[in-house]
Structures are given as structure tokens and as C-alpha cells.
Amino acid sequence: MTTGTATARACANIALVKYWGKRDAARNLPAAGSLSLTLAALVTETTVAFDPALAADELVLDGSPAKPGDASRTSSFLDLIRAEANITTRARVTSTNQFPTASGLASSASGFAALAVASSTAAGLALSPRALSMLARRGSGSAARSLFGGFVRMHAGHELDGSDAYAEPVISRLVDRVRMVIAIVGGGAPKQYGSRDAIEHTAATSPLYRAWLELVPHDLAAAEGALAAGDLATLGTITEANALAMHASAMAARPAIIYWQPATLALLAAVRELREAGAAAWATMDAGPHVKVLTSLDQAESIATALRGIPGVSEVTISGPGGPATVTG
Ligand code: DP6
């Protein structure tokens, strides 16, 4: 019988070289590596309480009972913890996203990272950061990166059991210089396709999927070189080009997956103009219409001001790099 309770917090991350493809859907193993920046402004806090009186797991998300899909994904994740800890007790999970808006911005990354840390601690497991990263990956591929702060590299690995598919921090002096300006489009309307289904659909139908996967190792090597050299302009150039290539592969799926709205394109044009005027600004987009702009500490305010005036942009927030996922209670 387990009665443990623990609370953990984790920051979301935004990929600079994207994860968009799997080598094994059942174990949620990525087909290629990825590279991200953990963000201090996007935080999830999660409490897990194992309670022998519960007949089923319960999930309260941002103050309300979760939708069945979210609840069953959480329960499947808790099954992994229960198997590891050799327990059968059900749990009450309370999770709150402290995000600039309820837009679903990368919340599965911080959500499953916080859940991995809170649930393993509550179950009495003492796991290494690497083991926690692999566990979080089972919940969501991008969550494996949210175990760590700053720049983070996810390894695709080769092993069939996924024992070499984990994330680890990448040390770079750029971490003190970078900021991410997050421009929310359309008031954060729910996205049309979740990333999980969209990844599968792209792999199954897009004629550009293979080309995308072949590109990723090159972008990763170049981005890691830029991090080692402290070269923000090269990192930014790869970041924007890589995001556009990922979206191109998704847009070429049949039927197409198009996340962008008119304001997304207006933001992309504004970022290009800012850059042509000499600013350090490079855009990236994920499974939604929002645009995140990689920039430098000294230019973040002026970039944010420039983006705030664009029609269809509802909110602009600046974030610095976030720290690793931690137990808070
Ligand atoms: C566009 O991690 O949400 O944000 O592993 O199926 O849960 P699952 O996918 P998920 O995909 C993230 C896709 C992305 C790019 C990235 O974060 O690397």
C-alpha cells in the first residue's frame, strides 16, 4: 500500500531543432534527435497523491476535472510508475499550468516532466535525471527535455528498448544571453491537430517526411557547433530554417496539416524585417499558430514591442531560460 504524496514543478521547452517523427510509437522513441531551450515563463506544477481509497486515478487540470483523453494518458503514465514501484495504488493528480495564456503552449512537455518527477517521488522511487528523462519521454517525447534547464539535447538512440533515448543538458555560454519572445496568436484557440496525431499523419502520408528526417542530424550538428562557439546568429538561422522545414513536411501531408493563421505569417514577415534592419531575431513555430522568437537579452524588449502591434497577436511575453524540473513539496 502506498500513500505517498509529492509536488514537482517543470518548465516547458521550445525546440530549436524539432522532434517530428518516431522510430517506435509504442515506446514513444524519436526517429531523430532534437535540441531545445527550457523556458522559465512556462511552468507546470503537479501534485501526485497515491491513495488506497481511490478506485481509479483522478486528474484535475487547471482547477477542473480533466477531459477523458488527458485523464487516460495520465493514467497510462502512472501505470509505468506503478509497474516500476511494484504497487497498484491509484492516485489523485492535480496539475496547474502557469502559462501566459491557456493556449496549450508546449504544456505536454512541462506536464509530463512534472508528472514524472512528482509521481516517481510519491511512489518512493529514487530515479536519476536520465531515468526520469526516459520516463517522461513515454508520456510525451518533448517532455524528456523538460527535465533539464537551459539548452537540452535529446538523443534518438538506437536500442529497441529505448535505453539510449534520453535528453541531457548542453552547456553553452549563450544561455546567459538568450531570450525567447512568445507571441500568442488568436487568443490561444485550441489547436486543430495534436502533435501526436500530426506526427503520425506526416510520417504516413507526407512525401517530404524522409527528407525532413535526413535534414535533422545536419541541423543538430550545426546547432551544437553554434552553442559551443557561442554563436547566436548561426543558432538562430538554424532554428528558423529547421522550424520551416518541419512545417513544410507537415503541410505536404495528405490531407495537409497547416497550423499557421494569417497572424503567424505576419509575425514571420515582421521577424524577417527586424532581422534585415539588424536585429537578432529568429522565429520558430510548433503544433499551433504561435510564434516564438529567439533573440538576445538586450533586444528582447524592443522585439516584443514590435510584435505587440501586429493584428491577431493577442499577447506577447518574454522568457529567459528555465531551470531543471524539481521536487517542491
Ligand atoms: C512540434 O512531444 O507533443 O513541439 O511524443 O507524441 O507526445 P508526443 O509528441 P510531442 O511533440 C512535440 C512536437 C513539437 C516539436 C518539439 O517539441 O520538438
Side-chain angles (χ1 to χ4, degrees):
M1 189 167 77
T2 308
T3 55
T5 298
T7 300
R9 77 196 295 276
C11 299
N13 68 79
I14 299 296
L16 309 179
V17 176
K18 305 291 184 192
Y19 150 57
W20 197 254
K22 304 188 186 204
R23 64 182 171 92
D24 178 341
R27 289 192 178 80
N28 211 30
L29 297 172
S34 55
L35 181 86
S36 58
L37 179 63
T38 298
L39 294 184
L42 311 178
V43 176
T44 300
E45 189 162 66
T46 300
T47 300
V48 175
F50 285 101
D51 182 349
L54 291 174
D57 294 320
E58 287 176 9
L59 172 62
V60 174
L61 205 52
D62 291 325
S64 309
K67 290 183 288 208
D70 290 333
S72 75
R73 223 170 134 178
T74 300
S75 215
S76 303
F77 185 85
L78 291 172
D79 287 342
L80 299 172
I81 297 286
R82 283 187 280 259
E84 187 92 1
N86 204 13
I87 57 171
T88 54
T89 317
R90 306 284 128 182
R92 188 174 299 104
V93 179
T94 314
S95 189
T96 313
N97 289 315
Q98 298 157 14
F99 280 32
T101 183
S103 63
L105 262 178
S107 57
S108 72
S110 50
F112 279 104
L115 182 64
V117 174
S119 60
S120 59
T121 306
L125 296 168
L127 301 176
S128 67
R130 181 172 293 184
L132 283 167
S133 173
M134 287 193 279
L135 200 54
R137 187 206 74 227
R138 301 288 295 266
S140 199
S142 52
R145 301 184 308 240
S146 273
L147 261 298
F148 305 100
F151 294 106
V152 181
R153 167 75 205 265
M154 175 76 193
H155 300 280
H158 300 286
E159 300 294 343
L160 294 179
D161 65 359
S163 56
D164 53 356
Y166 54 82
E168 60 189 351
V170 180
I171 305 303
S172 169
R173 67 176 188 270
L174 277 185
V175 81
D176 297 325
R177 272 177 56 203
V178 290
R179 288 292 180 272
M180 196 72 96
V181 177
I182 303 160
I184 306 294
V185 168
K191 59 193 176 196
Q192 207 179 346
Y193 310 91
S195 39
R196 179 151 295 185
D197 292 344
I199 288 171
E200 191 187 324
H201 180 63
T202 303
T205 70
S206 173
L208 302 189
Y209 178 65
R210 282 280 132 215
W212 153 253
L213 280 188
E214 280 165 25
L215 168 75
V216 174
H218 299 284
D219 279 353
L220 272 175
E224 286 191 286
L227 284 176
D231 180 349
L232 180 59
T234 298
L235 183 68
T237 304
I238 296 159
T239 295
E240 185 167 312
N242 184 268
L244 292 171
M246 182 207 103
H247 282 269
S249 77
M251 285 183 198
R254 302 175 183 202
I257 296 165
I258 303 174
Y259 287 114
W260 299 355
Q261 291 179 17
T264 312
L265 283 166
L267 282 159
L268 279 173
V271 168
R272 199 176 321 119
E273 273 170 34
L274 285 162
R275 209 162 50 226
E276 279 162 8
W282 299 271
T284 185
M285 295 79 61
D286 294 289
H290 318 302
V291 176
K292 300 101 183 183
V293 181
L294 183 68
T295 185
S296 59
L297 169 62
D298 55 324
Q299 295 186 33
E301 278 296 345
S302 63
I303 303 276
T305 302
L307 303 185
R308 276 194 185 104
I310 294 174
V313 174
S314 56
E315 199 175 337
V316 177
T317 306
I318 299 171
S319 182
T326 49
V327 177
T328 56

